Amino acid sequence: MVSTRAATQSLAGILVTASGGLVSLRATDLEMGLQTDLAGNVEGDGSVLLPGRLFSEVARSLPSGTVEIEPREAERDVEIRGGDS
């Protein structure tokens, strides 16, 4: 669920939070919220707000299996890898 008519950037995004072996994905449109928690190999705690539509498209294109999300501070973005991509 990603708001397509978001008045603010945060409503069009998915908040990804990693902490203590758990990865949480959260989204809201102020009427409804969605959260899912996934077990993961978390190398460092942190949060990032990703563009929801783009993140959804990238997630659908990845092969099944392990997915890595790595923050790139200098570029102010993230690198998402899955399988051999």
Side-chain angles (χ1 to χ4, degrees):
M1 168 187 63
V2 177
S3 176
T4 57
R5 53 189 164 93
T8 64
Q9 185 68 23
S10 62
L11 294 180
I14 297 175
L15 180 62
V16 180
T17 304
S19 178
L22 189 67
V23 178
S24 295
L25 305 174
R26 296 182 184 146
T28 185
D29 66 1
L30 293 181
E31 292 180 22
M32 184 183 336
L34 178 67
Q35 175 178 335
T36 188
D37 296 323
L38 308 164
N41 181 12
V42 177
E43 293 182 11
D45 295 351
S47 296
V48 63
L49 182 65
L50 300 175
R53 185 176 303 262
L54 180 60
F55 184 63
S56 296
E57 290 172 4
V58 169
R60 277 193 294 274
S61 71
L62 293 172
S64 62
T66 301
V67 173
E68 297 178 32
I69 301 175
E70 182 178 341
R72 299 187 314 175
E73 298 295 328
E75 292 85 359
R76 297 186 55 145
D77 65 7
V78 298
E79 182 175 344
I80 301 173
R81 293 184 300 272
D84 294 331
S85 60

